Amino acid sequence: MSSIVHIALSKGRILEESLPLLARAGIEPAEDPETSRKLVLDSRDPDVKLIIIRAADVPTYVQYGAADLGFAGKDVLMESDGDDLYELLDLKLAHCRMIVAEPDRLAARDDPRNWTRLRIATKYVKTTRQHFAAKGIQTDIIKLYGSMELAPLVGLSDRIVDLVHTGRTLAANGLVEVEHIADISARLVANRASLKMKHAAVRALVQRLAQAVQ
Ligand code: PRT
Ligand code: MG
């Protein structure tokens, strides 16, 4: 097995916030990942390459060893099955919260302590089901791939489970947060076999990233 380490990253928030961290760890893409059409980018370190994929695909690439390491939101990790995947480090970036939200006119007369059955639109089906099952609340979940904030406005669901950062998107759509599910940040994940087979190279890189987080 080669000693080149592949790191899976997603464009958008994660990449944007990861670039300074990667630079501190001595990893600089040879070209701009936001504009390049290449999906495998060289870095200035000949032993490190970056793989640019969709955020939700990062756990899959790492799980199958197509990438040795990956940067993934905790929200994405909670939804993935996570076999052969190790969460090594909180990268302390792309912070947000996973929450339950509902229209403000519903919130005015709603009490979460009385919830018994909820109709929820979300992209986080597994996490939502587990969160409410643990509290003995039944859920009818409508799976969406984005723009969850729209669902209550058009009567698709009463409530949503989504991520919030500033709260501006919720407010702009007349929604309010009524329950907190989890604090989210990006995590460094590693493939289990890579940790063994490429032990020295992967461990050294993880060490550099850990120092860069500090
Ligand atoms: O775009 P693509 O479909 O490929 O994937 P993606 O939408 O998951 O990617 P991206 O880049 O949007 O998000 C990647 C990761 O960033 C997520 O998995 C989270 O871990 C993290 N993150 C941090 C966020 C946010 N903050 C966030 N605010 N992801 C999404 N949002 C959305 C949220 O869903 C809501 O629609 O931003 C909106 C709310 O923002 P505020 O500031 O108005 O509250
Ligand atoms: Mg997006």
Side-chain angles (χ1 to χ4, degrees), residues 184-201:
I184 304 291
S185 58
R187 308 297 161 95
L188 176 68
V189 290
N191 173 267
R192 188 200 295 262
S194 299
L195 282 176
K196 291 200 189 106
M197 313 285 286
K198 301 188 189 177
H199 183 86

Side-chain angles (χ1 to χ4, degrees), residues 43-84:
S43 75
R44 305 209 188 277
D45 180 337
D47 293 331
V48 180
K49 288 186 194 291
L50 304 176
I51 302 179
I52 311 297
I53 51 181
R54 292 287 297 267
D57 288 334
V58 170
T60 307
Y61 275 72
V62 175
Q63 186 173 325
Y64 287 94
D68 304 293
L69 296 173
F71 286 17
K74 183 68 182 176
D75 52 317
V76 168
L77 294 173
M78 292 189 308
E79 284 295 301
S80 86
D81 294 325
D83 302 337
D84 295 319

Side-chain angles (χ1 to χ4, degrees), residues 11-13 54-55 123 145-146:
K11 282 194 191 186
R13 279 170 237 266
R54 292 287 297 267
K123 104 178 172 187
Y145 291 88

